[in-house]
């Protein structure tokens, strides 16, 4: 993790990405050098950068970006000279779900969830996907014991020795949940972070230090004095993640976190989730639901696909691809479906068009490269391509 993160920072600096370089440098020093001068320097750079790019103000000048890049490169050179020992990331179970079931009896409809079995390990990101109304939120509520199960086993493997109270309270104290509709909070952003750090055992200087790290790391430097009504939906989500970072839970559960984010904010969030899960200092398990399946599959170690409350598939993308006996790709082109069919009909088993996207299924005797070559030879201009042979997005149409 240490070498991987340092290389990642170098790549960000090489590409001029000061946002990610400053963020990851702060992460590195917080994890390994929080009591050293290098951490204070990383914090100062990140804080200054955050304030220089405050929304609504002028863009950062090119000469200032060069200055930040030089400062970070200089700091990274010093960091690389420090002898750092890190722990190995061990994949241990955090939650085990075995044949979990729940039935809801409504006046007009009966909904049965399960049986579902899955293990969430340290360092795992589990994407829970499926169409609306198929049990994704029900699963999250069962995992965090907000509703009771009818049958099956739900086992938690948290270290609860340092927490007082009932076992149920102790487990809740190690699980962070961010709902799709984030509840309103009172006071300022800073006051709330100080409070959350305090109730999780951070007092005095320790409270100041962790709150300061989290604020600047999450890009909230210019927002500390603002209230709920003064912050956008995207920044409300950042605040919820900041609360999580303050008290370092074992499991983070997010319900539709990507629903209201733009493309850049979505990618930043997914990058952060992967980093939090893979930390060798405090690895966590992450469970998230989303309609944006392609984005979730980028970072997920496992995908649980639910239909009518039942698991259609649970596993990783390679395991999913092994269940399919054909390749599938999606394309868009500056021509109609008939023209595409005329070129490749001899090689494919199925072609469907929907919303300007053409989905093509063909035998594993052919490669996607071969199919694309036939289209290019026929001078068909492609505007979009994606190989979905290992993507559970195919299940939406099964």
């Amino acid at each position: 993790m240490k070498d991987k993160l340092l290389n990642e920072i170098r790549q960000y600096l090489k590409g001029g990405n000061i946002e990610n370089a400053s963020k990851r440098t702060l992460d590195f020093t917080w994890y390994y050098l929080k009591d050293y001068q290098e951490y204070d320097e990383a914090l100062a750079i990140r804080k200054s950068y955050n304030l220089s790019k405050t929304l609504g103000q002028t863009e950062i000048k090119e000469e200032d970006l060069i200055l930040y890049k030089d400062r970070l490169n200089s700091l990274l050179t010093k960091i690389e000279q420090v002898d750092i020992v890190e722990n190995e990331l061990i994949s241990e179970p955090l939650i085990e779900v075995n044949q979990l079931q729940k039935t809801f009896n409504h006046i007009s409809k009966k909904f049965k969830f399960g049986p579902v079995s899955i293990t969430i390990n340290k360092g795992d990101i589990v994407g829970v996907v499926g169409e609306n109304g198929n049990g994704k939120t029900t699963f999250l509520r069962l995992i965090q014991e907000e509703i009771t199960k009818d049958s099956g086993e739900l086992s938690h493997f948290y270290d609860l020795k340092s927490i007082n109270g009932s076992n149920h309270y102790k487990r809740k104290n190690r699980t962070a949940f961010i709902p799709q509709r984030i509840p309103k909070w009172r006071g300022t952003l800073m006051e709330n972070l100080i409070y959350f750090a305090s109730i999780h055992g951070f007092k005095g200087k320790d409270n100041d230090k962790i709150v300061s790290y989290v604020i600047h790391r999450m890009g909230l430097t210019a927002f500390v004095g603002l209230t709920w009504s003064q912050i956008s939906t995207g920044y409300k989500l950042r605040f919820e993640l900041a609360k999580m970072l303050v008290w370092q839970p074992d499991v983070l559960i997010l319900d539709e976190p990507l629903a209201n984010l733009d493309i850049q904010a979505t990618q930043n969030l997914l990058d952060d989730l992967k980093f939090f899960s893979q930390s060798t200092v405090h690895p966590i398990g992450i469970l998230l639901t989303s309609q944006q399946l392609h984005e979730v599959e980028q970072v997920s170690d496992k995908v649980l696909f639910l239909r009518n409350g039942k698991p259609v598939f649970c596993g990783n993308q390679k395991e999913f691809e092994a269940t399919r006996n054909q390749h599938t790709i999606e394309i868009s082109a500056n021509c109609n479906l008939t023209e595409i069919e005329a070129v490749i009909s001899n090689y494919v088993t199925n072609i469907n068009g929907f919303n300007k996207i053409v989905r093509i299924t063909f035998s594993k005797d052919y490669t996607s490269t071969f199919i694309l070559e036939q289209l290019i030879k026929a001078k068909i201009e492609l505007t979009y391509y994606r190989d979905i042979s290992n993507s559970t997005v195919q299940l939406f149409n099964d």
Side-chain angles (χ1 to χ4, degrees):
M1 182 65 177
K2 178 188 67 176
D3 293 336
K4 180 181 177 182
L5 182 51
L6 288 173
N7 289 334
E8 180 185 345
I9 295 168
R10 284 291 188 199
Q11 287 301 313
Y12 285 136
L13 288 172
K14 185 177 180 180
N17 189 336
I18 304 303
E19 166 68 27
N20 284 350
S22 62
K23 183 165 59 176
R24 293 295 195 251
T25 302
L26 182 59
D27 285 332
F28 187 96
T29 55
W30 173 257
Y31 283 154
Y32 303 112
L33 302 167
K34 70 175 66 174
D35 295 321
Y36 294 82
Q37 182 181 350
E38 286 81 1
Y39 168 73
D40 295 331
E41 190 174 344
L43 186 70
I45 294 172
R46 178 66 179 168
K47 179 179 179 180
S48 176
Y49 174 73
N50 285 340
L51 291 174
S52 69
K53 67 178 184 66
T54 302
L55 296 178
Q57 296 184 3
T58 56
E59 294 291 327
I60 304 176
K61 296 178 181 179
E62 185 63 30
E63 55 264 34
D64 289 333
L65 288 174
I66 293 173
L67 179 61
Y68 285 122
K69 184 176 181 179
D70 290 342
R71 290 176 66 187
L72 285 166
N73 270 315
S74 177
L75 176 57
L76 205 57
T77 298
K78 288 194 288 185
I79 290 172
E80 289 173 331
Q81 294 173 356
V82 179
D83 186 21
I84 297 171
V85 178
E86 65 174 343
N87 299 320
E88 182 182 353
L89 176 58
I90 300 175
S91 183
E92 299 174 331
L94 288 169
I95 297 176
E96 283 189 355
V97 177
N98 184 26
Q99 298 293 297
L100 198 63
Q101 297 189 73
K102 177 71 177 180
T103 299
F104 298 89
N105 292 299
H106 299 289
I107 295 175
S108 59
K109 183 180 179 182
K110 181 177 181 178
F111 179 76
K112 183 178 179 180
F113 174 86
V116 169
S117 297
I118 191 171
T119 299
I120 303 166
N121 296 311
K122 284 184 179 180
D124 273 356
I125 297 181
V126 178
V128 184
V129 297
E131 296 180 65
N132 288 332
N134 280 265
K136 298 190 301 294
T137 301
T138 295
F139 181 55
L140 299 190
R141 295 176 68 196
L142 285 166
I143 287 289
Q144 60 178 328
E145 300 179 280
E146 185 179 316
I147 55 177
T148 57
K149 58 184 173 61
D150 290 340
S151 62
E153 297 296 327
L154 179 61
S155 304
H156 300 79
F157 300 93
Y158 306 151
D159 182 3
L160 306 176
K161 295 177 183 178
S162 61
I163 306 172
N164 296 321
S166 66
N167 286 335
H168 177 75
Y169 172 79
K170 290 178 179 181
R171 291 193 297 271
K172 296 281 282 186
N173 198 263
R174 300 308 309 149
T175 305
F177 175 63
I178 301 179
Q180 183 176 1
R181 294 181 178 85
I182 296 172
K184 186 175 182 178
W185 35 269
R186 299 180 181 276
T188 66
L189 186 150
M190 172 69 90
E191 290 167 343
N192 277 269
L193 287 179
I194 291 172
Y195 169 74
F196 273 93
S198 177
I199 63 174
H200 286 91
F202 293 92
K203 309 293 183 182
K205 291 182 178 180
D206 289 337
N207 187 293
D208 294 340
K209 193 159 190 173
I210 196 166
V211 169
S212 179
Y213 159 68
V214 167
I215 284 172
H216 303 310
R217 196 266 178 228
M218 295 303 297
L220 297 170
T221 309
F223 299 83
V224 292
L226 301 186
T227 60
W228 163 271
S229 61
Q230 296 172 310
I231 297 176
S232 70
T233 300
Y235 276 92
K236 287 184 176 76
L237 178 59
R238 284 199 201 188
F239 168 72
E240 293 297 318
L241 284 171
K243 286 197 306 186
M244 181 274 295
L245 283 177
V246 161
W247 60 275
Q248 300 176 327
D250 290 316
V251 172
L252 171 63
I253 301 173
L254 307 99
D255 194 4
E256 298 287 350
L258 309 181
N260 299 303
L261 301 183
D262 59 36
I263 294 173
Q264 186 59 55
T266 294
Q267 193 58 57
N268 287 341
L269 173 63
L270 294 176
D271 285 346
D272 282 344
L273 292 182
K274 195 66 178 178
F275 183 76
F276 298 151
S277 69
Q278 293 295 307
S279 164
T280 58
V281 177
H282 185 75
I284 63 175
I286 297 177
L287 194 67
L288 74 155
T289 66
S290 180
Q291 295 295 317
Q292 299 184 39
L293 183 54
H294 289 308
E295 287 76 7
V296 169
E297 285 183 333
Q298 285 179 24
V299 298
S300 294
D301 301 285
K302 301 174 187 174
V303 172
L304 171 63
F305 193 103
L306 296 172
R307 181 183 293 139
N308 297 323
K310 294 179 173 54
V312 177
F313 173 78
C314 182
N316 60 42
Q317 287 182 285
K318 286 185 178 180
E319 291 169 337
F320 176 76
E321 186 173 10
T323 69
R324 319 299 281 187
N325 57 12
Q326 299 184 96
H327 289 307
T328 303
I329 62 173
E330 289 180 342
I331 66 168
S332 286
N334 290 331
C335 65
N336 58 45
L337 182 60
T338 303
E339 292 176 84
I340 295 173
E341 288 178 323
V343 175
I344 59 174
S345 59
N346 291 335
Y347 311 111
V348 304
T349 55
N350 194 35
I351 302 178
N352 285 313
F354 53 96
N355 294 330
K356 297 183 179 181
I357 300 292
V358 178
R359 184 170 290 180
I360 304 168
T361 303
F362 50 95
S363 166
K364 288 188 175 182
D365 293 334
Y366 300 109
T367 65
S368 58
T369 301
F370 174 81
I371 300 298
L372 291 175
E373 284 175 348
Q374 308 314 305
L375 294 169
I376 293 170
K377 285 177 183 178
K379 300 188 183 307
I380 289 178
E381 184 181 348
L382 299 178
T383 58
Y384 162 81
Y385 162 78
R386 187 191 295 265
D387 188 337
I388 61 168
S389 299
N390 64 356
S391 173
T392 55
V393 70
Q394 297 178 68
L395 295 175
F396 281 101
N397 299 96
D398 281 0

